[in-house]
Amino acid sequence: MAVTLEEAAWIEELAATYEDAQPEDILREALRRVPNITFACSFGAEDMVILDMLMSIDKQADVFYLDTNVLFPETYELIEQAVAKYGIPNLHQVLPKLTLAEQAAQYGDALWSRNPNQCCKIRKVEPLADFLAGYDGWITGIRREQAPTRRNAKVFEWDAKFNIVKVNPLVRWTEKDVWNYIVERGVPYNPLHDRNYPSIGCLHCTRPVKPGEDPRSGRWAGFDKTECGLHADQ
């Protein structure tokens, strides 16, 4: 379903109005203007910042995470810490339709090592599409600084891939902004960030980043791939 001209104009107006707004104000407006909205939380640094803000604004806000069944142990531990700290009563675990055993039976063992695009499609993109079909908007932690594929992201935009309003409250923030907030507010974060993992995905497809490398170079190393498909249109 394509966005109507009226909807497109409304989204562009919001994007222009809130381009220089504080993330908390963007979140408040998103919750007010798009009531049926959810937050995609990967429990990375950016998403922990948004979670902290969101829970202070509305404890009942809808939050979900994609559990590929192959997240790092540190990520699963952080999820438990976040729930203990914030409660997150409306937290949804979104799982793939195929278990790892079923995926191996259909596509062979360690699909991620041979065809990461197919693996991401099964374990991330398809589950996300199914979940977002029940919503009118979603909030993400993407920032323009993170990658060339994200440099044109807007605060409010129409996500043509999932036919939904997309809200990016930290889009203008730098990495320094993110970590200043975490330190100042005592926000829990994944200890892998302290081990040169600026971007944390699945266990088998994420490696530490070397000095001077692109922050997302540790994702799908050895493949011509920088996005899992969730934000590929940025």
Side-chain angles (χ1 to χ4, degrees):
M1 181 181 67
V3 62
T4 67
L5 290 176
E6 183 179 355
E7 289 170 331
W10 169 71
I11 295 167
E12 287 180 10
E13 181 181 355
L14 278 176
T17 301
Y18 284 86
E19 168 64 20
D20 297 320
Q22 294 299 315
E24 294 92 338
D25 293 331
I26 296 168
L27 286 170
R28 290 188 186 94
E29 185 67 1
L31 293 171
R32 186 177 76 85
R33 300 291 290 271
V34 192
N36 189 22
I37 193 169
T38 187
F39 168 41
C41 187
S42 69
F43 296 93
E46 288 84 0
D47 288 351
M48 289 306 299
V49 168
I50 294 177
L51 182 65
D52 186 79
M53 293 177 177
L54 195 59
M55 290 295 100
S56 69
I57 295 169
D58 182 3
K59 281 281 188 182
Q60 300 302 315
D62 199 276
V63 180
F64 77 94
Y65 67 101
L66 297 173
D67 187 352
T68 61
N69 302 124
V70 282
L71 301 179
F72 281 85
E74 290 88 346
T75 302
Y76 288 114
E77 291 171 7
L78 179 58
I79 293 170
E80 294 181 3
Q81 292 176 31
V83 171
K85 179 176 177 64
Y86 300 109
I88 327 178
N90 292 312
L91 176 64
H92 309 281
Q93 177 194 41
V94 179
L95 292 163
K97 290 180 180 178
L98 297 181
T99 65
L100 289 172
E102 290 169 339
Q103 178 173 299
Q106 290 188 37
Y107 298 94
D109 289 329
L111 178 62
W112 48 81
S113 67
R114 293 176 287 103
N115 190 341
N117 285 328
Q118 181 67 37
C119 191
C120 284
K121 180 181 178 183
I122 294 168
R123 312 210 72 76
K124 289 186 175 183
V125 180
E126 291 177 349
L128 177 65
D130 290 342
F131 185 77
L132 290 183
Y135 292 87
D136 298 318
W138 68 314
I139 300 164
T140 86
I142 70 172
R143 297 183 294 107
R144 291 172 186 153
E145 184 188 68
Q146 288 170 326
T149 52
R150 301 180 177 189
R151 65 165 60 106
N152 296 319
K154 298 179 180 179
V155 175
F156 286 89
E157 58 190 1
W158 178 254
D159 189 329
K161 187 179 185 74
F162 299 111
N163 293 313
I164 196 171
V165 177
K166 188 174 184 179
V167 184
N168 308 306
L170 300 184
V171 75
R172 292 185 300 107
W173 273 27
T174 64
E175 182 181 8
K176 183 178 180 181
D177 292 327
V178 171
W179 285 102
N180 281 346
Y181 185 99
I182 288 173
V183 172
E184 290 171 4
R185 306 295 180 94
V187 176
Y189 65 89
N190 196 317
L192 290 174
H193 288 309
D194 293 332
R195 304 176 206 160
N196 299 318
Y197 286 83
S199 178
I200 303 169
C202 294
L203 179 64
H204 304 292
C205 297
T206 311
R207 67 160 175 80
V209 170
K210 299 175 183 177
E213 286 187 319
D214 183 277
R216 290 185 66 81
S217 64
R219 305 290 297 275
W220 307 285
F223 290 93
D224 183 19
K225 178 178 173 64
T226 58
E227 297 280 2
C228 58
L230 307 188
H231 306 295
D233 292 330
Q234 293 299 337

